[in-house]
Amino acid sequence: MSGILVYALHYEGAFNKNSLGAVSEGARLAQQLGTECHAIVIGEGVSDDLAGQLGNYGASKVYRVEGPEGLAQPVVDAMEAAIAAGGHEYALFGGGLLGFEIGAGLAARLDAGVCMEVTSVRVEEGKLVAERPILQDSQISSVHYRSGVGVIIGRLNAFEVAETGGTATVEDLPVEFKAHSLKAKMVQRGEQRGADVNIEDADVLVAGGRGLGKKEGFDALEELAGALGGAVAATRAVVDAGWYSYSAQIGQTGKTVSPKLYLAAGISGAIQHKVGMQASENIVAINKDSNAPIFEFSDLGIVGDLNKIVPKLTEAVKAKKGA
Amino acid sequence: MKICVLVKEVPDAAVEKRINPSTGRLDRGGEKNLNPFDTHAIEAAMQLKEGGALSIDEVVAVTMGPESAKRALTKAVSLGADRSVHLSDDALAGSDVNGTGYALAQVLASENPDLVLLGQQSDDGECYTIGAVVADHLQMPSLTQVIKIDVEGGALRCERQAEYGYDTVQVELPAVISVGDAINEPRYPSLKAIMGAKKKPLETKAAGDVGIEAGRVGYDNARAHCSEFAAPPAKAAGQIIEDEDTNETVEKIVAWLDERKLLA
Ligand SMILES: Cc1cc2nc3c(=O)[nH]c(=O)nc-3n(C[C@H](O)[C@H](O)[C@H](O)COP(=O)(O)OP(=O)(O)OC[C@H]3O[C@@H](n4cnc5c(N)ncnc54)[C@H](O)[C@@H]3O)c2cc1C
């Protein structure tokens, strides 16, 4: 057995960055192991051109499976078939919801070890060892696999995208889906809710979390963002609660940003949020809990009640800028 | 119809979590609580039962864990479950995701539920994976991180946030659904429910009772082994201001921003 199989997620004719990073990482590791990196794509009528693009990120072969895209279980069936055909030793996923769901399902199917939130993979004695930060990133543990196949689920964008200029052969893989895999049906995919705001180009982002207490809490943040000349962003918790629009969501299932200033108000600093904003140049956090994880990676942390601080800060910024 | 809700006892969020260096496992001492995400799963089950679109005969809380995990079941029952099942066996200690999901699937199979609900993640580290593992073993369709469930005919119409926006997925029953905390606002148990919880049936099962193969569970059979804990590369600690006098705090923030030319 040898080889690494990477799942690549796509939508409307393009792969997501996270998947391209995973393919790049798979290719890098395969080279070190002296084996090959293969990729697998699933969808309805995936073109040669689209599937073949993965060669440019280091895949030597791409399995193309005709089936529903965007749901996990058909991909588990497809990957089981690909591994049976190719004898891969590892299955690698970028982060994101489907990576978790497919990776976990595949581990169950193959009675395999699985490690998630992986930030780095190393080769040790001809085997892959996954590194996973735990306890709010305060420790890094090494995970060794003791199963025929090892399942590695990366943290979002943990793996760098690297173009190799290589090419891949595209092989159609017929898959007979399990009955239960077809009992979940996509009704609508990728729906955008709420007005579009452009947070990716803003130099200054003022982000709000559940600590705002209610939808109206965002009014004060909009004022502050206005004074600072920036835009408002949000955590998933408040987007899920309907307090702010999805287009402003930062993090694993939202946008990745790197403004000059990221001011977080009432945000705990969960990993899935952190991955979307940790590249910001200056991180300021206001949180009333001195133990909030966000203070571990902010440059300036203010322990206090945002309801008291934000309005006064807005006034002070206006005064300073007016001066 | 029967709904099984998977619940778990986890260290209280206020307790600092640490690794026991001698075993390499999470130190699970200290205050314990019902995993917050699971309270949303129980609430979802109650709303389905009370909603009436499905005819739910009973809601059963299920956990795997040591003796102390019974408290999570009692809490689940006080929130509305009709009875509970405790899978407890020394052979299960130290199981990884693969072993835990398999063991839970075995105990669930013995209940033969029409719907399995669970929280999308536990506070102490299992990362949104158990639902998908359990579903594969039970051969049921599955969806994780669901934030809305509507009953449509005999099926569930579920919404969640995914890579490209919101997805709406129709799932046929029986199914396994893991829910996020935005799905509902869990109720508080009434005093009467709290008092009555200890009297509702609680069944304890050992691994052998539900046909769990010993070679697939426990620390020694974990397919993924954690070891070698290391500190991550240190990042210079940021500056911290405790807000005592807000005018002063705000002055300091403005000065800090100004120094870095962020107020231009
Ligand atoms: C697969 C997956 C993907 C995810 N993707 C994302 C993602 O893309 N983006 C994302 O953000 N999250 C994501 N999450 C969710 C993430 O795990 C957290 O639940 C979320 O980031 C928490 O949001 P929050 O900080 O707003 O809320 P909380 O964690 O509830 O934090 C609220 C904070 O506000 C503070 N606070 C309360 N009141 C005040 C006050 N008056 N003044 C000051 N501070 C106060 C509290 O101390 C607390 O720290 C994802 C989760 C999963 C499982």
Side-chain angles (χ1 to χ4, degrees), chain A residues 179-221:
Chain A
H180 69 266
S181 300
L182 300 173
K183 286 185 175 160
K185 289 189 193 73
M186 188 68 76
V187 178
Q188 185 174 19
R189 186 171 181 214
E191 185 196 345
Q192 301 298 314
R193 292 183 184 167
D196 244 352
V197 289
N198 187 356
I199 54 172
E200 277 147 315
D201 296 336
D203 277 341
V204 173
L205 283 176
V206 177
R210 191 144 44 186
L212 290 174
K214 54 181 185 304
K215 192 178 184 147
E216 291 70 33
F218 273 97
D219 296 347
L221 291 198

Side-chain angles (χ1 to χ4, degrees), chain A residues 96-97 100 117 156 208-213 234-238 240 246 249-255 262 265-276 286-294 302 304-309, chain B residues 37 120-121 127-128 145 161 181:
Chain A
L97 185 132
F100 280 102
E117 290 280 357
L156 189 82
R210 191 144 44 186
L212 290 174
T235 66
R236 172 161 172 181
V238 298
D240 279 351
Y246 170 67
Q249 184 182 311
I250 303 294
Q252 181 165 324
T253 39
K255 296 195 166 111
Y262 190 90
I267 294 179
S268 59
I271 295 300
Q272 299 85 3
H273 181 76
K274 182 183 174 187
V275 293
I286 304 175
N287 195 307
K288 66 179 182 188
D289 173 8
S290 63
N291 290 319
I294 195 150
I302 297 109
D305 185 345
L306 67 90
N307 297 310
K308 281 183 11 200
I309 297 165
Chain B
F37 280 85
Q120 69 181 20
Q121 72 199 84
C127 270
Y128 352 107
Q145 302 181 37
Q161 237 191 61
D181 55 0

Side-chain angles (χ1 to χ4, degrees), chain A residues 118-189:
Chain A
V118 172
T119 50
S120 167
V121 186
R122 60 175 198 266
V123 175
E124 218 174 83
E125 294 169 11
K127 298 270 172 210
L128 295 187
V129 179
E131 292 185 5
R132 175 191 182 189
I134 52 169
L135 304 180
Q136 294 291 345
D137 285 8
S138 64
Q139 299 264 307
I140 296 193
S141 69
S142 290
V143 173
H144 300 256
Y145 293 95
R146 302 197 310 182
S147 47
V149 176
V151 178
I152 302 166
I153 307 172
R155 178 178 283 182
L156 189 82
N157 297 328
F159 305 131
E160 238 167 89
V161 178
E163 294 189 44
T164 61
T167 54
T169 55
V170 177
E171 184 179 310
D172 285 308
L173 182 73
V175 173
E176 212 176 295
F177 296 111
K178 302 256 183 214
H180 69 266
S181 300
L182 300 173
K183 286 185 175 160
K185 289 189 193 73
M186 188 68 76
V187 178
Q188 185 174 19
R189 186 171 181 214

